[in-house]
């Protein structure tokens, strides 16, 4: 899910001066709780960025990481697999993303429903200054893929009988959180939990507020990249706008929906939404490289850089206060953790069968979006399930077969995705390598606006 309003000017700032680290919520290591290491970020928001001479004229390189036998786990818990017919297509698809303007691109494929056989491919660079390539263990901001984990916790609460999909959103808010706006503003009393999950609530997207959007991703990003925001503050901005549609009448993607769902989890459980995700998903699934940073602007090591354009300049957007995204998109993760999560989710290891049927149900949106998950029909006839996400300087997408036994995640270190069709081509190269295609391009992710 994009963290920007319709058609904004991409924005960022170059090499901001270090800011004291904010609140970092504890990340979970497999089998134990531990804090992820933080590193200082040294960037200035007001200088234009251009590649160093050593990198600027070098053709982006690409390749796949795979020793001869699948018996050598990496530090990220992945294992390289033997050569696969999809390798050439995957690398070509990543090259295309770099040719479109991404500094770097990478993908990780998992087969067999676990970590046993994986393939990592990369093109371009993770850092325009050092020229180093993206590594399989690099951390990055996953944007709206956060939503799939939030939806999963909501559906677990439904299975436990602690709320229903037909409940009013206003019935499950923490004390002091507004349920309606002034005048013609939106009203959460008319919105159901299901409508929040599948983006049919009609709630205004808070990131589309003109003033806020300039600060989040427009000309004001450099001055406001470290501003902290509370969910209540952002919700008030959204509720102050009239709804874009009557609840339940049409699909309209809105970050506000999942901002509210994060508050619903807190009200129902008595714990912040990220604490429930850690307890219910990260620890059981062994997602030891995934975290919810709160107000902390620093990515854990190792990580590359994130880039965006403001006006005609490419600028570094790596360091920012992620409270702008909250439950709609603050998550930090790795390609390996994304594959593990979606393999477990699609494989039926996290949700009960009834809730699995609900999360895949796209009936209310005419086949566009389920409850935090959406399907993509590829040209070869394969249908894959997953989600995508972007936030300043980072775009990611994960997709897998219905049984979760074949999953791929890919990412670029810029946002938005320059050409959605070329992003979907990564999936086609992966899932259609051994199948004939019908000649029609696969659709891209659901429309954001």
């Amino acid at each position: 899910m994009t963290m920007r309003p319709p058609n904004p000017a991409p924005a960022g700032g170059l090499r901001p001066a270090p800011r004291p680290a904010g609140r970092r919520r504890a990340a979970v290591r497999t089998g134990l709780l531990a804090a992820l290491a933080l590193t200082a970020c040294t960037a200035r928001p007001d200088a234009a960025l251009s590649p160093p001479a050593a990198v600027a004229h070098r053709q982006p390189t690409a390749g796949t990481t795979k020793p001869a036998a699948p018996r050598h786990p990496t530090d990220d818990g992945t294992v390289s697999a033997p050569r696969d017919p999809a390798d050439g297509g995957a690398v070509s698809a990543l090259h295309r993303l770099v040719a479109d303007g991404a500094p770097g691109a990478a993908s990780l494929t998992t087969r067999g429903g676990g970590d046993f056989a994986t393939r990592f491919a990369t093109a371009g660079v993770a850092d325009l200054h050092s020229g180093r390539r993206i590594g399989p263990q690099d951390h990055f901001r996953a944007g709206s893929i956060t939503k799939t984990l939030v939806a999963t916790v909501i559906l677990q609460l439904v299975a436990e009988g602690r709320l229903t999909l037909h409940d009013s959103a206003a019935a499950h808010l923490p004390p002091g959180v507004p349920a309606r706006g002034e005048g013609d503003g939106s009203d959460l009393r008319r919105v159901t939990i299901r409508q929040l999950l599948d983006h049919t609530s009609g709630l205004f997207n808070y990131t589309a507020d003109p003033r806020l959007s300039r600060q989040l991703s427009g000309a004001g990003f450099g001055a406001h990249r470290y501003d902290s925001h509370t969910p209540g503050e952002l919700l008030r901005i959204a509720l102050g706008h009239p709804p874009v549609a009557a609840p339940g009448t049409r699909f309209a993607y809105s970050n506000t929906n999942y901002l509210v769902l994060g508050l619903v989890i807190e009200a129902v459980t008595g714990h912040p939404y990220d604490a429930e995700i850690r307890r219910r998903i990260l620890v059981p699934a062994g997602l030891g490289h995934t975290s919810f940073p709160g107000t902390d602007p620093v990515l854990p090591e190792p990580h590359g850089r994130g880039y965006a354009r403001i006006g005609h300049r490419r600028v570094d957007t790596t360091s920012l206060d992620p409270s702008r995204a909250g439950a709609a998109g603050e998550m930090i993760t790795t390609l390996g953790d994304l594959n593990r999560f979606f393999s477990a989710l699609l494989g039926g290891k996290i949700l009960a069968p009834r809730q699995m049927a609900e999360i895949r149900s796209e009936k209310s949106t005419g086949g566009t979006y389920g409850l935090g998950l959406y399907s993509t029909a590829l040209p070869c006839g394969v249908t894959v399930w997953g989600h995508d996400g972007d936030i300043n300087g980072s775009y990611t997408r994960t997709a897998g077969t219905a049984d979760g036994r074949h999953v791929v995640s890919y990412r670029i270190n810029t946002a938005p995705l320059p050409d959605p069709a070329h992003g979907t081509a990564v999936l086609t190269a992966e899932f259609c390598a051994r199948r004939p295609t019908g000649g029609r391009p696969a659709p891209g992710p659901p429309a954001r606006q």
Side-chain angles (χ1 to χ4, degrees):
M1 162 59 199
T2 184
M3 294 308 304
R4 288 177 306 281
N7 303 319
L14 173 65
R15 294 202 172 279
R19 163 186 163 170
R23 169 176 52 91
R24 172 165 296 279
R25 301 172 186 153
V28 182
R29 295 286 182 189
T30 304
L32 70 151
L33 294 175
L36 287 173
L38 306 182
T39 56
C41 183
T42 57
R44 284 186 305 107
D46 54 355
L49 177 67
S50 58
V55 177
H57 303 293
R58 187 175 67 183
Q59 290 294 323
T61 57
T64 56
T65 300
K66 61 177 116 351
R71 293 291 184 271
H72 304 290
T74 71
D75 291 340
D76 196 39
T78 60
V79 185
S80 298
R83 221 168 253 287
D84 184 278
D87 286 1
V91 173
S92 296
L94 296 180
H95 265 307
R96 197 172 298 124
L97 297 179
V98 172
D100 287 342
S107 66
L108 183 70
T109 299
T110 301
R111 289 180 175 272
D115 295 332
F116 182 72
T118 68
R119 184 181 67 255
F120 177 72
T122 184
V125 297
D127 187 322
L128 288 168
H129 285 289
S130 70
R132 87 163 179 90
R133 293 167 66 176
I134 297 174
Q137 300 150 39
D138 280 5
H139 296 82
F140 54 87
R141 303 187 192 280
S144 286
I145 295 181
T146 307
K147 291 178 171 66
T148 307
L149 284 79
V150 170
T152 299
V153 171
I154 289 287
L155 290 170
Q156 287 179 336
L157 294 172
V158 170
E160 294 163 10
R162 301 174 73 175
L163 75 165
T164 77
L165 294 177
H166 303 294
D167 287 354
S168 161
H172 299 289
L173 292 177
V177 173
R180 59 178 300 185
E182 300 286 339
D184 295 331
S186 300
D187 190 344
L188 292 176
R189 297 174 301 180
R190 301 179 57 209
V191 173
T192 68
I193 299 298
R194 179 185 291 277
Q195 291 163 356
L196 295 173
L197 287 165
D198 67 10
H199 296 288
T200 60
S201 70
L203 293 175
F204 179 83
N205 184 359
Y206 75 88
T207 58
D209 176 81
R211 179 175 177 274
L212 184 62
S213 69
R214 286 193 295 273
Q215 298 175 3
L216 297 183
S217 58
F221 176 82
H224 295 278
R225 67 191 302 163
Y226 295 126
D227 289 358
S228 293
H229 304 274
T230 66
E233 167 200 338
L234 298 174
L235 179 57
R236 283 186 178 87
I237 292 174
L239 295 179
H241 290 267
V244 299
T249 59
R250 69 177 176 89
F251 173 83
Y253 200 103
S254 173
N255 285 312
T256 307
N257 293 318
Y258 279 75
L259 193 74
V260 175
L261 288 169
L263 292 167
V264 168
I265 292 172
E266 179 179 344
V268 172
T269 67
H271 305 121
Y273 88 93
D274 60 295
E276 287 296 311
I277 289 179
R278 282 196 293 270
R279 182 176 72 84
R280 293 167 175 268
I281 299 175
L282 303 191
V283 172
L287 308 183
H289 302 275
T290 297
S291 60
F292 297 85
T295 59
D296 194 321
V298 182
L299 285 169
E301 290 285 3
H303 69 82
R305 311 299 298 180
Y307 302 97
R309 287 194 176 274
I310 178 167
H312 299 292
R313 297 184 305 151
R314 173 182 276 167
V315 295
D316 188 313
T317 59
T318 308
S319 180
L320 55 82
D321 186 316
S323 62
R324 64 183 55 209
E330 71 167 300
M331 185 171 74
I332 292 171
T333 190
T334 63
L335 293 174
D337 268 15
L338 285 180
N339 282 14
R340 276 187 284 278
F341 167 68
F342 278 92
S343 179
L345 176 66
L346 297 173
K349 298 176 182 177
I350 299 178
L351 291 175
R354 183 172 180 179
Q355 278 66 51
M356 278 304 301
E358 292 284 11
I359 201 171
R360 296 179 196 267
S361 176
E362 298 176 326
K363 183 178 179 180
S364 297
T365 63
T368 300
Y369 195 90
L371 307 187
L373 199 67
Y374 64 84
S375 64
T376 301
L378 300 176
C380 58
V382 172
T383 295
V384 292
W385 292 85
H387 210 288
D388 69 324
D390 70 61
I391 189 170
N392 312 67
S394 179
Y395 176 86
T396 310
R397 188 173 181 184
T398 301
T401 52
D403 61 3
R405 294 186 61 79
H406 185 182
V407 177
V408 64
S409 295
Y410 73 87
R411 58 173 293 241
I412 58 175
N413 53 350
T414 191
L417 186 67
D419 187 333
H422 289 171
T424 305
V426 177
L427 307 185
T428 301
E430 180 59 43
F431 295 100
C432 297
R434 300 175 183 81
R435 297 169 179 261
T437 62
R440 291 190 305 168
R448 303 300 194 186
Q449 330 307 344

